[in-house]
Amino acid sequence: MGHHSCCNQQKVKRGLWSPEEDEKLVRYITTHGYGCWSEVPEKAGLQRCGKSCRLRWINYLRPDIRRGRFSPEEEKLIISLHAIVGNRWAHIASHLPGRTDNEIKNYWNSWIKKKIRKAPAAPNVTTTTSSTTSTSPPNNGLAPCSGSTATSDVHHRRLQHPTFSCAPAGDHLQLDAIIGHHQSTSLALPVAAGAGQEDSPPGMSHHCPLFMFDTGVVSTPFASAAAQQHPFIASFTAAMAEADTPSCYHLPPLVDGMGAMGMCMEAMDDHCGARAGMGNGCFGDEQRQRRRPELEEEEGEQLGQHEQWDEEQLLMWDDQEVLTPSNMEAMQSGAHSLLFMGPNA
DNA sequence: AATGACGTCAACCGCTCATCA
DNA sequence: TTGATGAGCGGTTGACGTCAT
């Protein structure tokens, strides 16, 4: 096991950090900032490599870090986001202010262990995504599962979906693809028969969240196409169309630089080989244009204002839930985005 | 009380990406 | 264009605490 180039120096200490080391690092960074991490240890008087300093600061010493157990809302969010973006812990962490990717990763891994232990005789759950044995719950085939060694292709590691193609898609394709995939593959979580609802992730049914979309885009052709294929979306879009609902972009983007529809976009994006951009025609520019700058600023403020995301901002659905006047009203208020939990077959 | 199984979490490792000369 | 370097990310490991036997 070799060390990093930054750790090749002699006398580089490893292992747990002492309180004295923590103090040195905190003192240095609070007065000088970190700038170049490779220079931090020397300037701070630490016998550590820069990488180790960075990790210690980010995962433990940062002043805005939140410690302690995850709240149920945070758990829900982690699970939902994981179903959408896969093992992109840093990305998930960016939606949970004060939480680190490491913390979320650890939480997830222990949660997975529990699930596996609880369901030793789980039915054979396969998707067409990967032939590798998976220890993660199926993410609707949208993201590869952990447990295997790192692949060389980071793009495919991020989101793999057999149904998404590189074809220059119209607005329909992305959701068509998801729905098509949903209809053709098993989405059941690997819980043992008769294990009961309590084995589902908090706040979820036995089916993973399928997609997330913004309540302001229901009138797009894409949504219309989706509505033809799914009764829930049909009722939802119809109701929203009647309500003349304003756009709302109050959730942080699920995918960098994108609105709440981003999951679909990124999947397309990955397969189109164009990273973090929609300019390739995979998805219409319409939604992007609707994303007004002032609303983006508002998002930023919200992230700062809220210690955690709560259900006042994130509406979660599953198709056993009906569209009631109250949740309809919540969406019409423009302060929500909708996370649709995949249909229970 | 001793011991082993298990859970948690901090830290490390190897890799990729971005940047710059 | 290419190679070097640093930053960042995800996977994995190992130490330590807790609990059950």
Side-chain angles (χ1 to χ4, degrees):
Chain A
M1 283 190 200
H3 290 176
H4 297 101
S5 55
C6 68
C7 306
N8 286 341
Q9 304 148 6
Q10 287 183 340
K11 293 197 293 182
V12 170
K13 193 183 167 192
R14 299 170 65 201
L16 293 177
W17 282 62
S18 67
E20 292 75 26
E21 286 177 308
D22 282 346
E23 194 189 332
K24 280 183 183 177
L25 185 58
V26 169
R27 198 187 310 138
Y28 177 81
I29 290 177
T30 50
T31 54
H32 300 92
Y34 47 79
C36 177
W37 281 111
S38 57
E39 294 172 1
V40 167
E42 188 187 343
K43 292 182 176 173
L46 289 162
Q47 292 172 343
R48 296 273 181 174
C49 73
K51 204 167 183 172
S52 181
C53 292
R54 175 186 163 270
L55 209 63
R56 184 64 180 171
W57 174 258
I58 288 173
N59 288 338
Y60 200 83
L61 299 174
R62 236 174 20 166
D64 60 330
I65 218 97
R66 281 186 71 198
R67 310 205 70 81
R69 290 186 63 84
F70 285 93
S71 68
E73 288 75 25
E74 286 176 312
E75 288 179 348
K76 280 184 200 173
L77 195 49
I78 290 168
I79 291 157
S80 301
L81 289 170
H82 185 271
I84 294 167
V85 302
N87 293 0
R88 294 176 61 194
W89 306 117
H91 191 98
I92 294 171
S94 71
H95 289 262
L96 289 130
R99 299 294 188 180
T100 69
D101 53 351
N102 210 28
E103 201 177 3
I104 292 168
K105 183 169 56 182
N106 283 332
Y107 164 74
W108 182 264
N109 287 336
S110 31
W111 184 76
I112 288 303
K113 276 184 192 170
K114 279 182 199 166
K115 294 298 110 180
I116 291 170
R117 205 173 300 279
K118 267 193 172 182
N124 186 24
V125 177
T126 57
T127 71
T128 54
T129 301
S130 170
S131 60
T132 55
T133 305
S134 166
T135 55
S136 295
N139 304 316
N140 298 344
L142 289 172
C145 300
S146 61
S148 59
T149 54
T151 69
S152 59
D153 186 340
V154 69
H155 292 278
H156 286 85
R157 190 173 52 198
R158 287 163 59 203
L159 276 169
Q160 292 178 333
H161 194 298
T163 320
F164 290 116
S165 77
C166 196
D171 288 352
H172 315 185
L173 177 56
Q174 49 182 332
L175 190 53
D176 289 353
I178 295 171
I179 291 173
H181 178 69
H182 167 250
Q183 288 171 338
S184 62
T185 56
S186 167
L187 296 175
L189 286 170
V191 290
Q197 189 76 13
E198 68 278 8
D199 277 321
S200 294
M204 291 178 65
S205 68
H206 277 195
H207 296 268
C208 292
L210 192 56
F211 58 84
M212 182 171 186
F213 65 92
D214 191 281
T215 54
V217 297
V218 292
S219 60
T220 63
F222 136 76
S224 303
Q228 288 173 14
Q229 298 187 44
H230 197 284
F232 176 86
I233 299 173
S235 66
F236 173 64
T237 51
M240 295 303 280
E242 278 181 24
D244 189 25
T245 310
S247 297
C248 51
Y249 290 101
H250 288 253
L251 274 178
L254 277 169
V255 175
D256 306 329
M258 297 178 183
M261 284 256 220
M263 180 274 291
C264 307
M265 298 177 200
E266 181 177 71
M268 297 301 298
D269 211 26
D270 275 1
H271 287 263
C272 291
R275 200 174 170 191
M278 295 197 303
N280 53 19
C282 284
F283 196 77
D285 287 333
E286 185 186 347
Q287 279 80 24
R288 167 152 288 185
Q289 285 164 3
R290 298 173 66 175
R291 189 178 174 78
R292 304 198 309 269
E294 62 268 32
L295 287 171
E296 290 183 355
E297 278 177 27
E298 217 171 292
E299 281 177 8
E301 285 172 16
Q302 285 203 355
L303 267 174
Q305 284 166 2
H306 293 270
E307 291 231 331
Q308 63 186 46
W309 294 99
D310 55 32
E311 292 178 26
E312 289 180 9
Q313 292 172 294
L314 183 65
L315 297 178
M316 290 188 179
W317 247 273
D318 108 5
D319 72 343
Q320 290 183 336
E321 228 174 313
V322 293
L323 197 60
T324 65
S326 65
N327 55 36
M328 191 59 210
E329 189 183 341
M331 285 186 289
Q332 287 170 15
S333 73
H336 299 76
S337 286
L338 177 67
L339 181 62
F340 178 54
M341 316 298 276
N344 292 314

